[in-house]
Amino acid sequence: MAEITAALVKDLRERTGAGMMDCKKALTESGGDIEGAIDWLRKKGLSTAAKKSGRVAAEGLVGIASAAHKAAVVEVNAETDFVARNEVFQDFVRQVANVALLVGDDLEAIKAAPYPGTGRSFAEQLTHLISTIGENMHIRRAKVLEAPHGVVASYMHNALKPGLGKIGVLVAVAGASEIEALETLGHQVGMHVAASRPDALDIDAVDPAALHREKTVLAEQARASGKPEAIIEKMVEGRIRKYYEEVVLLEQVWVHDGENRVRVIVQKAGAKLLGFARFQLGEGLERRSDDFAAEVAAAAGLQPDEPARP
């Protein structure tokens, strides 16, 4: 019997898109003959994933999983909103969020982790789902937040099921208050974040490159008015304060009362925000382009004609 080498398994997987364990079994069944293994996989319906993996996946679900002082938010994409209502797909998203709590938010670590009750990895289970459900899918991103001396509250906007929806938010908060009070505050901040889409927690966390671009644009706009440079500098300073109010969470107006800044609400509660994460399904995949498929592929780190990797 021919030796089933790792290189042979890899070759078969690349040619068929089937999972690693399925490829190994196919080669064993065919005595190491790769063409025979391809036929075996086709008969089992496991080689169709490769064809489906080239199709655009921009729908799907955001999932959240929580534990003591810790929570994870993930995004898993599929081709249609219909699949988001498939219970098998929903369970997969839940499992991705659960394993992120254990291994962290590195996608390769998530994909390599064992999928419960199957003998497959998450990457292999994803390939299996592509074959059985009939749509391209991919695990797009994950984020884990921790608050060792506080809580990580969560909020799911318009949840399809508990912990599953299209906009998921995590908020890490600490303070002297009781855990229940911190949870309530964190949940309220999560609702605010879902609505207001901040880019940074505080002014110090604003992306320096984004700030530089904003200042450059504002300065050019001010110069067009013909004002002296000294006046222009003050105009830019004033407009940058307005910019902070738009993109910095602690500087935004609290959506729940329309008056106070978020930092004032947090201070009154005797708490401190440690961080936040906001995942909106399909965020960053602009549909206005004539080549939407290319944009989705680019966001997934692929060339437009490159199959999506599980």
Side-chain angles (χ1 to χ4, degrees), residues 54-74:
R55 303 203 301 246
V56 174
E59 297 292 341
L61 285 170
V62 172
I64 288 176
S66 300
H69 311 294
K70 189 177 185 181
V73 59
V74 303

Side-chain angles (χ1 to χ4, degrees), residues 4-79:
I4 309 302
T5 64
L8 199 59
V9 174
K10 182 175 181 291
D11 185 22
L12 180 60
R13 188 179 185 195
E14 289 175 347
R15 291 179 62 176
T16 64
M20 189 173 295
M21 296 304 295
D22 290 327
C23 287
K24 186 174 181 182
K25 186 172 182 180
L27 287 164
T28 300
E29 292 291 331
S30 66
D33 176 56
I34 197 162
E35 297 299 330
I38 291 172
D39 289 342
W40 187 90
L41 287 168
R42 289 181 62 195
K43 291 173 185 177
K44 298 293 183 181
L46 298 173
S47 65
T48 56
K51 294 178 182 178
K52 291 165 185 168
S53 66
R55 303 203 301 246
V56 174
E59 297 292 341
L61 285 170
V62 172
I64 288 176
S66 300
H69 311 294
K70 189 177 185 181
V73 59
V74 303
E75 180 182 350
V76 182
N77 296 123
E79 290 180 52

Side-chain angles (χ1 to χ4, degrees), residues 8 13 30 73 179 194 197 200 213 220-221 223 239 259 269 275 284 291 293 296 298:
L8 199 59
R13 188 179 185 195
S30 66
V73 59
I179 293 296
R197 304 169 61 103
R213 287 195 302 272
E220 289 302 317
Q221 290 174 345
R223 287 191 183 94
R239 292 177 182 178
E259 296 178 4
D291 192 357
V296 175

